[in-house]
Coordinates of all heavy atoms in Angstrom, one line a residue:
N209 N 94.5 -40.6 -108.1 CA 95.5 -39.9 -108.9 C 95.8 -38.5 -108.6 O 96.1 -37.7 -109.4 CB 95.3 -40.2 -110.4 CG 95.2 -41.7 -110.7 OD1 96.1 -42.4 -110.3 ND2 94.1 -42.1 -111.4
E210 N 95.6 -38.2 -107.3 CA 95.9 -36.8 -106.8 C 97.1 -37.0 -105.8 O 97.2 -38.0 -105.1 CB 94.7 -36.2 -106.2 CG 93.8 -35.6 -107.3 CD 92.6 -34.8 -106.7 OE1 92.5 -34.7 -105.4 OE2 91.8 -34.3 -107.5
V211 N 97.8 -35.9 -105.7 CA 99.0 -35.8 -104.8 C 98.7 -34.6 -103.9 O 98.4 -33.6 -104.4 CB 100.2 -35.8 -105.6 CG1 101.4 -35.6 -104.6 CG2 100.5 -36.9 -106.6
A212 N 99.0 -34.8 -102.6 CA 99.0 -33.6 -101.7 C 100.3 -33.4 -101.2 O 101.0 -34.3 -100.6 CB 97.9 -33.9 -100.6
H213 N 100.8 -32.1 -101.3 CA 102.1 -31.7 -100.7 C 101.8 -30.9 -99.5 O 101.3 -29.9 -99.5 CB 102.8 -30.9 -101.8 CG 104.2 -30.6 -101.3 ND1 104.9 -29.5 -101.8 CD2 105.1 -31.3 -100.6 CE1 106.1 -29.5 -101.3 NE2 106.2 -30.6 -100.5
I214 N 102.0 -31.6 -98.3 CA 101.5 -31.0 -97.1 C 102.6 -30.4 -96.2 O 103.6 -31.2 -95.9 CB 100.8 -32.1 -96.2 CG1 99.7 -32.9 -97.2 CG2 100.0 -31.5 -95.1 CD1 99.3 -34.2 -96.6
K215 N 102.5 -29.2 -95.8 CA 103.3 -28.7 -94.7 C 102.4 -28.2 -93.5 O 101.2 -28.2 -93.6 CB 104.0 -27.5 -95.3 CG 104.9 -27.8 -96.5 CD 106.1 -26.9 -96.7 CE 107.0 -27.5 -97.8 NZ 108.1 -26.7 -98.0
Q216 N 103.1 -27.8 -92.4 CA 102.3 -27.5 -91.3 C 101.2 -26.4 -91.5 O 100.2 -26.4 -91.0 CB 103.2 -27.0 -90.1 CG 102.5 -26.9 -88.8 CD 103.6 -26.7 -87.7 OE1 104.7 -27.2 -87.8 NE2 103.2 -25.8 -86.8
D217 N 101.6 -25.5 -92.4 CA 100.7 -24.3 -92.6 C 100.1 -24.2 -94.0 O 99.5 -23.1 -94.4 CB 101.5 -23.0 -92.2 CG 102.7 -22.8 -93.1 OD1 103.1 -23.8 -93.9 OD2 103.4 -21.9 -92.9
S218 N 100.4 -25.2 -94.8 CA 99.8 -25.1 -96.2 C 99.7 -26.5 -96.8 O 100.3 -27.4 -96.4 CB 100.8 -24.3 -97.1 OG 102.0 -25.0 -97.3
V219 N 98.8 -26.6 -97.8 CA 98.7 -27.9 -98.5 C 98.4 -27.5 -100.0 O 97.6 -26.6 -100.3 CB 97.6 -28.9 -97.9 CG1 96.2 -28.2 -97.8 CG2 97.5 -30.1 -98.8
K220 N 99.1 -28.2 -100.8 CA 98.9 -28.1 -102.3 C 98.5 -29.3 -102.9 O 99.1 -30.4 -102.5 CB 100.2 -27.5 -103.0 CG 100.6 -26.1 -102.6 CD 101.8 -25.6 -103.4 CE 102.1 -24.2 -103.0 NZ 103.5 -24.1 -102.7
F221 N 97.6 -29.3 -103.8 CA 97.1 -30.5 -104.5 C 97.5 -30.4 -105.9 O 97.4 -29.4 -106.6 CB 95.6 -30.7 -104.4 CG 95.1 -30.7 -103.0 CD1 94.7 -29.6 -102.2 CD2 95.2 -32.0 -102.3 CE1 94.3 -29.7 -100.9 CE2 94.8 -32.0 -101.0 CZ 94.4 -30.9 -100.3
M222 N 97.9 -31.6 -106.5 CA 98.3 -31.7 -107.9 C 97.7 -33.0 -108.5 O 97.5 -33.9 -107.7 CB 99.8 -31.8 -107.9 CG 100.5 -30.5 -107.7 SD 102.1 -30.7 -106.8 CE 101.5 -30.7 -105.1
D223 N 97.7 -33.1 -109.8 CA 97.5 -34.4 -110.4 C 98.9 -35.1 -110.5 O 99.8 -34.5 -110.1 CB 96.8 -34.2 -111.8 CG 97.5 -33.5 -112.8 OD1 98.8 -33.4 -112.7 OD2 97.0 -33.1 -113.8
T224 N 98.8 -36.3 -111.1 CA 100.1 -37.1 -111.1 C 101.1 -36.5 -112.1 O 102.2 -36.9 -112.1 CB 99.8 -38.5 -111.4 OG1 99.0 -38.6 -112.6 CG2 99.1 -39.2 -110.3
A225 N 100.7 -35.5 -112.9 CA 101.6 -34.9 -113.8 C 102.2 -33.6 -113.2 O 103.0 -32.9 -113.7 CB 101.0 -34.5 -115.2
G226 N 101.8 -33.4 -112.0 CA 102.3 -32.2 -111.2 C 101.5 -30.9 -111.5 O 101.9 -29.9 -111.0
V227 N 100.4 -31.0 -112.2 CA 99.6 -29.8 -112.5 C 98.7 -29.5 -111.3 O 98.0 -30.4 -110.8 CB 98.7 -30.1 -113.8 CG1 97.8 -28.9 -114.1 CG2 99.6 -30.4 -115.0
A228 N 98.7 -28.3 -110.9 CA 98.0 -27.9 -109.7 C 96.5 -28.2 -109.9 O 95.8 -28.0 -110.9 CB 98.1 -26.4 -109.4
V229 N 95.8 -28.8 -108.8 CA 94.4 -29.0 -108.8 C 93.8 -28.1 -107.7 O 94.3 -28.0 -106.6 CB 94.2 -30.5 -108.4 CG1 92.7 -30.8 -108.2 CG2 94.8 -31.5 -109.4
K230 N 92.8 -27.4 -108.1 CA 92.1 -26.6 -107.2 C 91.0 -27.3 -106.4 O 90.2 -28.0 -107.0 CB 91.4 -25.4 -108.0 CG 91.3 -24.1 -107.2 CD 91.0 -23.0 -108.2 CE 90.4 -21.8 -107.5 NZ 90.4 -21.6 -106.1
K231 N 91.2 -27.3 -105.1 CA 90.2 -28.1 -104.3 C 89.6 -27.2 -103.3 O 90.3 -26.3 -102.7 CB 90.9 -29.2 -103.6 CG 91.4 -30.3 -104.5 CD 92.0 -31.4 -103.7 CE 91.1 -32.5 -103.3 NZ 90.6 -33.3 -104.5
V232 N 88.3 -27.4 -103.1 CA 87.6 -26.6 -102.1 C 87.4 -27.4 -100.8 O 87.0 -28.5 -100.9 CB 86.2 -26.2 -102.7 CG1 85.5 -25.3 -101.7 CG2 86.4 -25.5 -104.0
P233 N 87.8 -26.9 -99.7 CA 87.6 -27.7 -98.5 C 86.2 -27.9 -98.1 O 85.3 -27.1 -98.4 CB 88.3 -26.9 -97.4 CG 88.3 -25.5 -97.9 CD 88.4 -25.6 -99.3
E234 N 85.9 -29.1 -97.5 CA 84.5 -29.2 -97.0 C 84.5 -29.1 -95.5 O 85.4 -29.5 -94.8 CB 84.0 -30.7 -97.5 CG 83.9 -30.8 -98.9 CD 83.5 -32.1 -99.4 OE1 82.7 -32.8 -98.7 OE2 83.9 -32.6 -100.4
E235 N 83.3 -28.6 -95.0 CA 83.2 -28.6 -93.6 C 82.3 -29.8 -93.2 O 81.2 -30.0 -93.7 CB 82.4 -27.3 -93.1 CG 83.2 -26.0 -93.3 CD 84.4 -26.0 -92.5 OE1 84.4 -26.4 -91.3 OE2 85.5 -25.5 -93.0
V236 N 82.9 -30.7 -92.4 CA 82.2 -31.9 -92.0 C 81.5 -31.7 -90.7 O 82.0 -31.1 -89.7 CB 83.1 -33.1 -92.0 CG1 83.6 -33.5 -93.4 CG2 84.2 -33.0 -91.0
E237 N 80.4 -32.3 -90.6 CA 79.6 -32.4 -89.3 C 79.9 -33.7 -88.7 O 79.9 -34.7 -89.5 CB 78.2 -32.2 -89.5 CG 77.9 -30.7 -89.7 CD 76.5 -30.3 -89.8 OE1 75.6 -31.2 -89.5 OE2 76.1 -29.3 -90.4
W238 N 80.0 -33.9 -87.5 CA 80.4 -35.1 -86.9 C 79.7 -35.4 -85.5 O 79.6 -34.5 -84.7 CB 81.9 -35.0 -86.6 CG 82.5 -36.3 -86.4 CD1 83.0 -36.8 -85.3 CD2 82.7 -37.4 -87.4 NE1 83.4 -38.1 -85.5 CE2 83.2 -38.4 -86.8 CE3 82.3 -37.5 -88.8 CZ2 83.5 -39.6 -87.4 CZ3 82.6 -38.6 -89.4 CH2 83.2 -39.7 -88.8
N239 N 79.3 -36.6 -85.3 CA 78.7 -36.9 -84.1 C 79.1 -38.4 -83.6 O 79.7 -39.1 -84.4 CB 77.1 -36.8 -84.1 CG 76.6 -37.7 -85.2 OD1 77.1 -38.8 -85.4 ND2 75.5 -37.2 -85.9
Q240 N 78.7 -38.7 -82.4 CA 79.1 -40.0 -81.9 C 78.7 -41.2 -82.8 O 79.5 -42.1 -83.0 CB 78.6 -40.2 -80.5 CG 79.1 -41.3 -79.7 CD 80.6 -41.4 -79.7 OE1 81.4 -40.4 -79.7 NE2 81.2 -42.7 -79.7
E241 N 77.5 -41.1 -83.3 CA 77.0 -42.2 -84.1 C 78.0 -42.4 -85.3 O 78.3 -43.5 -85.7 CB 75.6 -41.9 -84.6 CG 75.0 -43.1 -85.1 CD 73.8 -42.8 -86.0 OE1 73.9 -42.2 -87.0 OE2 72.7 -43.3 -85.7
Q242 N 78.5 -41.3 -85.9 CA 79.3 -41.4 -87.0 C 80.7 -42.0 -86.7 O 81.2 -42.8 -87.4 CB 79.6 -40.1 -87.7 CG 78.4 -39.6 -88.5 CD 78.5 -38.2 -88.8 OE1 78.5 -37.3 -88.0 NE2 78.5 -37.8 -90.1
V243 N 81.1 -41.7 -85.4 CA 82.4 -42.4 -85.0 C 82.1 -43.9 -84.9 O 83.1 -44.6 -85.4 CB 82.7 -41.8 -83.5 CG1 83.9 -42.6 -83.0 CG2 83.0 -40.3 -83.5
E244 N 81.0 -44.3 -84.5 CA 80.8 -45.8 -84.3 C 80.8 -46.4 -85.7 O 81.1 -47.5 -85.9 CB 79.6 -46.0 -83.6 CG 79.7 -45.9 -82.1 CD 78.4 -45.8 -81.3 OE1 77.4 -46.2 -81.9 OE2 78.4 -45.3 -80.2
K245 N 80.3 -45.6 -86.7 CA 80.2 -46.1 -88.0 C 81.5 -46.1 -88.7 O 81.7 -46.4 -89.9 CB 79.2 -45.4 -88.8 CG 77.8 -45.7 -88.5 CD 76.8 -44.9 -89.3 CE 75.4 -45.1 -88.9 NZ 74.6 -44.0 -89.3
G246 N 82.6 -45.7 -88.0 CA 83.9 -45.6 -88.5 C 84.1 -44.8 -89.7 O 84.8 -45.0 -90.6
G247 N 83.2 -43.7 -89.8 CA 83.3 -42.8 -90.8 C 82.5 -43.1 -92.0 O 82.3 -42.3 -93.1
Y248 N 81.9 -44.3 -92.0 CA 81.0 -44.8 -93.1 C 79.6 -44.2 -92.9 O 79.2 -44.0 -91.8 CB 80.9 -46.2 -93.3 CG 82.2 -46.9 -93.8 CD1 83.1 -47.4 -92.8 CD2 82.5 -47.0 -95.1 CE1 84.3 -48.0 -93.3 CE2 83.6 -47.6 -95.5 CZ 84.5 -48.1 -94.6 OH 85.6 -48.7 -95.1
P249 N 78.9 -43.8 -94.0 CA 77.6 -43.2 -93.8 C 76.6 -44.3 -93.2 O 75.6 -43.9 -92.5 CB 77.1 -42.8 -95.2 CG 78.0 -43.5 -96.1 CD 79.3 -43.8 -95.4
Y250 N 76.8 -45.5 -93.4 CA 76.0 -46.6 -92.9 C 76.8 -47.8 -92.3 O 77.9 -48.1 -92.8 CB 75.1 -47.1 -94.0 CG 74.0 -46.2 -94.4 CD1 74.2 -45.4 -95.5 CD2 72.8 -46.2 -93.7 CE1 73.2 -44.5 -95.9 CE2 71.9 -45.2 -94.0 CZ 72.0 -44.4 -95.2 OH 71.1 -43.6 -95.4

Side-chain angles (χ1 to χ4, degrees):
N209 301 312
E210 282 183 356
V211 178
H213 187 207
I214 310 164
K215 299 203 170 182
Q216 187 171 328
D217 56 359
S218 69
V219 54
K220 289 189 182 128
F221 298 96
M222 286 142 273
D223 66 15
T224 50
V227 178
V229 174
K230 208 165 160 11
K231 288 180 93 68
V232 182
E234 293 180 32
E235 291 298 318
V236 292
E237 286 184 14
W238 196 251
N239 58 36
Q240 187 51 32
E241 196 200 59
Q242 284 166 302
V243 175
E244 281 163 20
K245 286 181 187 155
Y248 289 94
Y250 288 99

